[in-house]
Amino acid sequence: MLLTRGFRRAAVPRLARRDMCGAAARRTTASGLVAVAGGGASFHDYDAAITACVERRALKQGRQVHAHMVTARYRPPVYLATRLVIMYARCCALDDARNVLDGMPERNVVSWTAMISGYSQSGRHVEALQLFIRMLRAGCKPNEFTFATVLTSCSGSQSIHQVKQVHSLVAKTNFESHMFVGSSLLDMYAKAGNIQEARRVFDMLPERDTVSCTAIISGYAQLGLDDEALDLFRQLYSAGMQCNYVTFTTLLTSLSGLASLDYGKQVHGLILRKELPFFVVLQNSLIDMYSKCGKLLYSRRVFDHMPQRSAISWNAMLMGYGRHGIGHEVVQLFRTMTEEVKPDSVTLLAVLSGCSHGGLVDEGLDIFDLIVKEQNAVLSIGHYGCVIDLLGRSGRLQKALDLIQDMPFEPTPAIWGSLLGACRVHVNVSVGEVVAQKLLDMEPGNAGNYVILSNIYAAAGMWKDVFRVRNLMLEKTVTKEPGQSWIILDKVIHTFRSSDRLHPRKKDIDAKIKEIYVDIRAAGFVPDLSCVLHDVDDEQKERMLLGHSEKLAVTFGLMNTPPGLTIRVMKNLRICVDCHNFAKFVSKVYGREISLRDKNRFHLLTDGACTCGDYW
DNA sequence: GTAGGGTTAG
């Protein structure tokens, strides 16, 4: 039989077979398949041919082998039919795989699992789970392979109630402590947001490998528990964990969140020393990490040295420039990008938001028009949000309002919020009132909206309305996500919350902040009392403003770093107007550069001015 | 024979 010419399977040890099949396949598929057309092939011929197709993801040849079986009226035994399912599934021909599976008179656990895995790997998680249920109904007992696959689909489909059911099945069959099943299981819990349960599964694993360790670290990272992710990494690393590029990629995500430049550099060094082969994903993480740590030049260095880049690499770099308010670099890099790679929807988002943050209104709008016209791009509400931001920033508030009403999405509070912010900057009462009304209806408990509306009235000198709105606000119960700021000194993270009493050097900080206050008031600083949401007298408001977390962090930085060094402070929310102004004065009076990273962007404050141009 | 963790944006 020419199909497997020069290759005798029985003589080959099992372990070597896979490679031999590959080699045999390369030698035989092209000529062998043609030669086989006339004669009857045996089990071994079919097996070798299918194996070759699986290895090479050769769908066309696979179909030929399958067709050959049909014409030869060869009824494949369970083993061979299963191999066909695997072949089709690996080649992403899921419907063909399913046809073979459905046509099988008998199925075993491998056939079912291969099909489930096919669905799972193509992201068709619901179908994967449905098939798993059919498998159980058919009386087939799942094994560790099945569970590892099904659990992946559980995290993918985010069906919380199925999670528990599958888990209890896993526990019943004693696969909970199987390495693959266990890491799938903990990953599933982590992705469902239940990190405690994920940790419990992880702690119960009798053995741990790189994947299970990475999975649990990634669990913390995905939930934004960056501190915990870093801690756990350090713990596992000193206990001898082996890292690979996925581990580092995950870890870098958390370091980006923390903006921990020192650790970031250290991990980068670790990666270089390991002499890992080139991975685009890992380099992308490095670009993002340096950009979120405020070191855009390092990002660019990584970017420039990449032998290959994906769209994500470009996007990460574009977002970096945008985050730092360097609009012209965004536009320039975008132009270079279009010569090399096809931009995707995230690219457009990056460019638009970059133009907005960098103040390049017309450029941003031009690019938007161009892309919409030329590329028939699929636009998300995020894209509209950016354009509304651009229009708002340039003062074209009515146009922005029209766009909100015309766009094919229901506007979200974030969309209205961005326009309301623009109304405050450009003091537009008429549009502001319309927008605010929408927002107050949608989220009556959000104090921020009342504050901005009252600020608009105040800027327009409409004091009666100011009081009306503030009274309205006090009637509603308001909850706010607690703001916190942090600064990293000597690899120690110092976190501050508003009016924090927990820091061990609280007294020193208080004394220093009062000293600063005197200095900057003398230089012309005026506190913005409208930033205080509570109904208290002005003196109390001033005191509360001084308790804001970003001021505490900046003060702590001023106390503990030598002159000339940039003070780098991070905040989990958008920075407050009064604190922004405070930082401006500090930068001027003390001649210190201050870098403030808020939820959306960097503010680099030098000599009393900020790179955001006071619009954020 | 079938299996687990990862990058930009939100």
Side-chain angles (χ1 to χ4, degrees), chain A residues 489-515:
Chain A
L489 302 171
D490 278 337
K491 291 191 183 164
V492 179
I493 304 167
H494 300 267
T495 306
F496 299 89
R497 286 172 199 84
S498 193
S499 305
D500 209 333
R501 281 176 212 93
L502 299 174
H503 200 277
R505 293 186 56 192
K506 169 76 182 140
K507 269 196 178 156
D508 297 344
I509 298 171
D510 275 353
K512 182 72 184 175
I513 209 167
K514 276 181 191 139
E515 187 191 313

mmCIF file of all heavy atoms in Angstrom, chain A residues 489-515:
data_model
loop_
_atom_site.group_PDB
_atom_site.id
_atom_site.type_symbol
_atom_site.label_atom_id
_atom_site.label_comp_id
_atom_site.label_asym_id
_atom_site.label_seq_id
_atom_site.Cartn_x
_atom_site.Cartn_y
_atom_site.Cartn_z
ATOM 1 N N LEU A 489 7.928 53.052 46.993
ATOM 2 C CA LEU A 489 9.258 53.526 47.361
ATOM 3 C C LEU A 489 10.072 52.333 47.826
ATOM 4 O O LEU A 489 9.641 51.610 48.722
ATOM 5 C CB LEU A 489 9.159 54.565 48.498
ATOM 6 C CG LEU A 489 8.307 55.804 48.184
ATOM 7 C CD1 LEU A 489 8.108 56.640 49.433
ATOM 8 C CD2 LEU A 489 8.971 56.626 47.088
ATOM 9 N N ASP A 490 11.215 52.125 47.213
ATOM 10 C CA ASP A 490 12.056 50.979 47.561
ATOM 11 C C ASP A 490 11.270 49.677 47.511
ATOM 12 O O ASP A 490 11.371 48.839 48.415
ATOM 13 C CB ASP A 490 12.646 51.143 48.972
ATOM 14 C CG ASP A 490 13.881 52.024 48.920
ATOM 15 O OD1 ASP A 490 14.482 52.110 47.839
ATOM 16 O OD2 ASP A 490 14.204 52.630 49.958
ATOM 17 N N LYS A 491 10.498 49.497 46.462
ATOM 18 C CA LYS A 491 9.724 48.285 46.257
ATOM 19 C C LYS A 491 8.667 48.031 47.330
ATOM 20 O O LYS A 491 8.136 46.935 47.425
ATOM 21 C CB LYS A 491 10.643 47.069 46.145
ATOM 22 C CG LYS A 491 11.461 47.105 44.869
ATOM 23 C CD LYS A 491 12.150 45.796 44.642
ATOM 24 C CE LYS A 491 13.003 45.910 43.395
ATOM 25 N NZ LYS A 491 13.963 44.860 43.292
ATOM 26 N N VAL A 492 8.416 49.023 48.186
ATOM 27 C CA VAL A 492 7.321 48.875 49.149
ATOM 28 C C VAL A 492 6.158 49.712 48.639
ATOM 29 O O VAL A 492 6.334 50.877 48.264
ATOM 30 C CB VAL A 492 7.728 49.340 50.556
ATOM 31 C CG1 VAL A 492 6.564 49.190 51.517
ATOM 32 C CG2 VAL A 492 8.934 48.544 51.034
ATOM 33 N N ILE A 493 4.970 49.089 48.600
ATOM 34 C CA ILE A 493 3.797 49.803 48.123
ATOM 35 C C ILE A 493 3.124 50.492 49.297
ATOM 36 O O ILE A 493 2.736 49.837 50.264
ATOM 37 C CB ILE A 493 2.810 48.822 47.454
ATOM 38 C CG1 ILE A 493 3.516 48.072 46.335
ATOM 39 C CG2 ILE A 493 1.587 49.554 46.935
ATOM 40 C CD1 ILE A 493 2.744 46.874 45.825
ATOM 41 N N HIS A 494 3.017 51.806 49.265
ATOM 42 C CA HIS A 494 2.321 52.543 50.323
ATOM 43 C C HIS A 494 0.968 52.957 49.775
ATOM 44 O O HIS A 494 0.896 53.755 48.842
ATOM 45 C CB HIS A 494 3.113 53.778 50.724
ATOM 46 C CG HIS A 494 4.483 53.469 51.250
ATOM 47 N ND1 HIS A 494 4.747 53.309 52.592
ATOM 48 C CD2 HIS A 494 5.650 53.254 50.599
ATOM 49 C CE1 HIS A 494 6.031 53.030 52.749
ATOM 50 N NE2 HIS A 494 6.602 52.986 51.558
ATOM 51 N N THR A 495 -0.090 52.408 50.357
ATOM 52 C CA THR A 495 -1.431 52.708 49.867
ATOM 53 C C THR A 495 -2.127 53.682 50.810
ATOM 54 O O THR A 495 -2.013 53.568 52.029
ATOM 55 C CB THR A 495 -2.251 51.406 49.776
ATOM 56 O OG1 THR A 495 -1.520 50.477 48.985
ATOM 57 C CG2 THR A 495 -3.591 51.656 49.117
ATOM 58 N N PHE A 496 -2.841 54.641 50.231
ATOM 59 C CA PHE A 496 -3.572 55.620 51.040
ATOM 60 C C PHE A 496 -5.025 55.653 50.627
ATOM 61 O O PHE A 496 -5.330 55.608 49.440
ATOM 62 C CB PHE A 496 -2.965 57.015 50.854
ATOM 63 C CG PHE A 496 -1.528 57.112 51.273
ATOM 64 C CD1 PHE A 496 -0.524 56.845 50.363
ATOM 65 C CD2 PHE A 496 -1.194 57.441 52.576
ATOM 66 C CE1 PHE A 496 0.803 56.914 50.744
ATOM 67 C CE2 PHE A 496 0.134 57.518 52.970
ATOM 68 C CZ PHE A 496 1.138 57.254 52.056
ATOM 69 N N ARG A 497 -5.893 55.715 51.615
ATOM 70 C CA ARG A 497 -7.304 55.941 51.335
ATOM 71 C C ARG A 497 -7.666 57.299 51.906
ATOM 72 O O ARG A 497 -6.915 57.845 52.711
ATOM 73 C CB ARG A 497 -8.154 54.832 51.973
ATOM 74 C CG ARG A 497 -8.020 53.541 51.195
ATOM 75 C CD ARG A 497 -8.688 52.371 51.883
ATOM 76 N NE ARG A 497 -8.145 51.126 51.324
ATOM 77 C CZ ARG A 497 -7.015 50.564 51.726
ATOM 78 N NH1 ARG A 497 -6.315 51.101 52.721
ATOM 79 N NH2 ARG A 497 -6.552 49.469 51.151
ATOM 80 N N SER A 498 -8.826 57.821 51.488
ATOM 81 C CA SER A 498 -9.205 59.162 51.924
ATOM 82 C C SER A 498 -9.201 59.261 53.450
ATOM 83 O O SER A 498 -9.713 58.383 54.141
ATOM 84 C CB SER A 498 -10.581 59.489 51.363
ATOM 85 O OG SER A 498 -10.809 60.856 51.539
ATOM 86 N N SER A 499 -8.595 60.336 53.951
ATOM 87 C CA SER A 499 -8.479 60.573 55.399
ATOM 88 C C SER A 499 -7.956 59.337 56.118
ATOM 89 O O SER A 499 -8.441 58.950 57.173
ATOM 90 C CB SER A 499 -9.817 60.990 55.994
ATOM 91 O OG SER A 499 -10.290 62.105 55.300
ATOM 92 N N ASP A 500 -6.952 58.760 55.526
ATOM 93 C CA ASP A 500 -6.380 57.512 56.043
ATOM 94 C C ASP A 500 -5.770 57.724 57.426
ATOM 95 O O ASP A 500 -4.978 58.626 57.636
ATOM 96 C CB ASP A 500 -5.289 57.053 55.086
ATOM 97 C CG ASP A 500 -5.126 55.556 55.092
ATOM 98 O OD1 ASP A 500 -5.440 54.957 56.145
ATOM 99 O OD2 ASP A 500 -4.716 55.004 54.066
ATOM 100 N N ARG A 501 -6.164 56.878 58.351
ATOM 101 C CA ARG A 501 -5.555 56.971 59.679
ATOM 102 C C ARG A 501 -4.632 55.784 59.929
ATOM 103 O O ARG A 501 -4.091 55.617 61.002
ATOM 104 C CB ARG A 501 -6.643 57.012 60.765
ATOM 105 C CG ARG A 501 -7.260 58.378 60.892
ATOM 106 C CD ARG A 501 -8.396 58.399 61.878
ATOM 107 N NE ARG A 501 -9.389 59.386 61.431
ATOM 108 C CZ ARG A 501 -10.422 59.095 60.682
ATOM 109 N NH1 ARG A 501 -10.660 57.868 60.306
ATOM 110 N NH2 ARG A 501 -11.263 60.046 60.310
ATOM 111 N N LEU A 502 -4.473 54.959 58.915
ATOM 112 C CA LEU A 502 -3.782 53.695 59.152
ATOM 113 C C LEU A 502 -2.279 53.764 58.937
ATOM 114 O O LEU A 502 -1.538 52.947 59.466
ATOM 115 C CB LEU A 502 -4.370 52.609 58.230
ATOM 116 C CG LEU A 502 -5.855 52.343 58.465
ATOM 117 C CD1 LEU A 502 -6.387 51.376 57.420
ATOM 118 C CD2 LEU A 502 -6.068 51.779 59.867
ATOM 119 N N HIS A 503 -1.829 54.732 58.151
ATOM 120 C CA HIS A 503 -0.407 54.713 57.850
ATOM 121 C C HIS A 503 0.426 55.002 59.094
ATOM 122 O O HIS A 503 0.116 55.900 59.867
ATOM 123 C CB HIS A 503 -0.076 55.720 56.749
ATOM 124 C CG HIS A 503 1.227 55.421 56.072
ATOM 125 N ND1 HIS A 503 2.432 55.819 56.596
ATOM 126 C CD2 HIS A 503 1.512 54.716 54.952
ATOM 127 C CE1 HIS A 503 3.401 55.386 55.807
ATOM 128 N NE2 HIS A 503 2.869 54.711 54.796
ATOM 129 N N PRO A 504 1.500 54.218 59.318
ATOM 130 C CA PRO A 504 2.301 54.394 60.528
ATOM 131 C C PRO A 504 2.907 55.790 60.651
ATOM 132 O O PRO A 504 3.203 56.235 61.763
ATOM 133 C CB PRO A 504 3.397 53.320 60.394
ATOM 134 C CG PRO A 504 3.336 52.825 58.991
ATOM 135 C CD PRO A 504 1.943 53.064 58.529
ATOM 136 N N ARG A 505 3.074 56.471 59.521
ATOM 137 C CA ARG A 505 3.658 57.808 59.631
ATOM 138 C C ARG A 505 2.627 58.905 59.425
ATOM 139 O O ARG A 505 2.929 60.003 58.954
ATOM 140 C CB ARG A 505 4.808 57.939 58.630
ATOM 141 C CG ARG A 505 5.974 57.025 59.015
ATOM 142 C CD ARG A 505 7.165 57.230 58.132
ATOM 143 N NE ARG A 505 7.620 58.615 58.125
ATOM 144 C CZ ARG A 505 8.503 59.082 57.235
ATOM 145 N NH1 ARG A 505 8.979 58.270 56.306
ATOM 146 N NH2 ARG A 505 8.886 60.340 57.273
ATOM 147 N N LYS A 506 1.418 58.585 59.821
ATOM 148 C CA LYS A 506 0.280 59.483 59.674
ATOM 149 C C LYS A 506 0.577 60.892 60.201
ATOM 150 O O LYS A 506 0.278 61.887 59.555
ATOM 151 C CB LYS A 506 -0.908 58.848 60.415
ATOM 152 C CG LYS A 506 -2.108 59.733 60.604
ATOM 153 C CD LYS A 506 -2.895 59.871 59.321
ATOM 154 C CE LYS A 506 -4.071 60.801 59.541
ATOM 155 N NZ LYS A 506 -4.293 61.679 58.411
ATOM 156 N N LYS A 507 1.193 60.967 61.387
ATOM 157 C CA LYS A 507 1.435 62.278 62.021
ATOM 158 C C LYS A 507 2.379 63.131 61.185
ATOM 159 O O LYS A 507 2.126 64.312 60.951
ATOM 160 C CB LYS A 507 2.029 62.083 63.418
ATOM 161 C CG LYS A 507 0.982 62.002 64.511
ATOM 162 C CD LYS A 507 1.609 62.195 65.868
ATOM 163 C CE LYS A 507 0.517 62.168 66.935
ATOM 164 N NZ LYS A 507 1.035 61.780 68.242
ATOM 165 N N ASP A 508 3.467 62.513 60.733
ATOM 166 C CA ASP A 508 4.435 63.239 59.906
ATOM 167 C C ASP A 508 3.786 63.739 58.629
ATOM 168 O O ASP A 508 4.028 64.862 58.189
ATOM 169 C CB ASP A 508 5.605 62.315 59.503
ATOM 170 C CG ASP A 508 6.382 61.846 60.719
ATOM 171 O OD1 ASP A 508 6.200 62.465 61.789
ATOM 172 O OD2 ASP A 508 7.146 60.880 60.582
ATOM 173 N N ILE A 509 2.964 62.860 58.038
ATOM 174 C CA ILE A 509 2.313 63.228 56.774
ATOM 175 C C ILE A 509 1.398 64.428 57.002
ATOM 176 O O ILE A 509 1.396 65.379 56.228
ATOM 177 C CB ILE A 509 1.517 62.035 56.205
ATOM 178 C CG1 ILE A 509 2.466 60.866 55.905
ATOM 179 C CG2 ILE A 509 0.779 62.433 54.930
ATOM 180 C CD1 ILE A 509 1.772 59.578 55.545
ATOM 181 N N ASP A 510 0.628 64.377 58.094
ATOM 182 C CA ASP A 510 -0.275 65.481 58.409
ATOM 183 C C ASP A 510 0.478 66.790 58.553
ATOM 184 O O ASP A 510 0.072 67.830 58.025
ATOM 185 C CB ASP A 510 -1.024 65.180 59.720
ATOM 186 C CG ASP A 510 -2.253 64.339 59.456
ATOM 187 O OD1 ASP A 510 -2.551 64.126 58.257
ATOM 188 O OD2 ASP A 510 -2.893 63.900 60.424
ATOM 189 N N ALA A 511 1.577 66.722 59.278
ATOM 190 C CA ALA A 511 2.358 67.930 59.506
ATOM 191 C C ALA A 511 2.884 68.472 58.175
ATOM 192 O O ALA A 511 2.818 69.666 57.891
ATOM 193 C CB ALA A 511 3.524 67.630 60.449
ATOM 194 N N LYS A 512 3.387 67.548 57.342
ATOM 195 C CA LYS A 512 3.977 67.968 56.070
ATOM 196 C C LYS A 512 2.932 68.569 55.149
ATOM 197 O O LYS A 512 3.168 69.575 54.487
ATOM 198 C CB LYS A 512 4.637 66.750 55.400
ATOM 199 C CG LYS A 512 5.319 67.053 54.101
ATOM 200 C CD LYS A 512 6.606 67.835 54.298
ATOM 201 C CE LYS A 512 7.237 68.216 52.949
ATOM 202 N NZ LYS A 512 8.428 69.074 53.138
ATOM 203 N N ILE A 513 1.734 67.960 55.157
ATOM 204 C CA ILE A 513 0.716 68.438 54.228
ATOM 205 C C ILE A 513 0.261 69.845 54.625
ATOM 206 O O ILE A 513 -0.034 70.682 53.776
ATOM 207 C CB ILE A 513 -0.467 67.443 54.136
ATOM 208 C CG1 ILE A 513 -1.122 67.524 52.760
ATOM 209 C CG2 ILE A 513 -1.529 67.683 55.185
ATOM 210 C CD1 ILE A 513 -2.081 66.388 52.474
ATOM 211 N N LYS A 514 0.253 70.115 55.923
ATOM 212 C CA LYS A 514 -0.113 71.467 56.382
ATOM 213 C C LYS A 514 0.931 72.480 55.936
ATOM 214 O O LYS A 514 0.611 73.580 55.493
ATOM 215 C CB LYS A 514 -0.260 71.474 57.904
ATOM 216 C CG LYS A 514 -1.647 71.002 58.321
ATOM 217 C CD LYS A 514 -1.856 71.009 59.812
ATOM 218 C CE LYS A 514 -3.154 70.272 60.138
ATOM 219 N NZ LYS A 514 -3.019 69.422 61.325
ATOM 220 N N GLU A 515 2.185 72.075 56.033
ATOM 221 C CA GLU A 515 3.287 72.932 55.601
ATOM 222 C C GLU A 515 3.161 73.233 54.094
ATOM 223 O O GLU A 515 3.269 74.384 53.669
ATOM 224 C CB GLU A 515 4.581 72.161 55.892
ATOM 225 C CG GLU A 515 5.860 72.912 55.675
ATOM 226 C CD GLU A 515 7.045 71.939 55.752
ATOM 227 O OE1 GLU A 515 7.084 71.116 56.706
ATOM 228 O OE2 GLU A 515 7.892 71.970 54.842
#
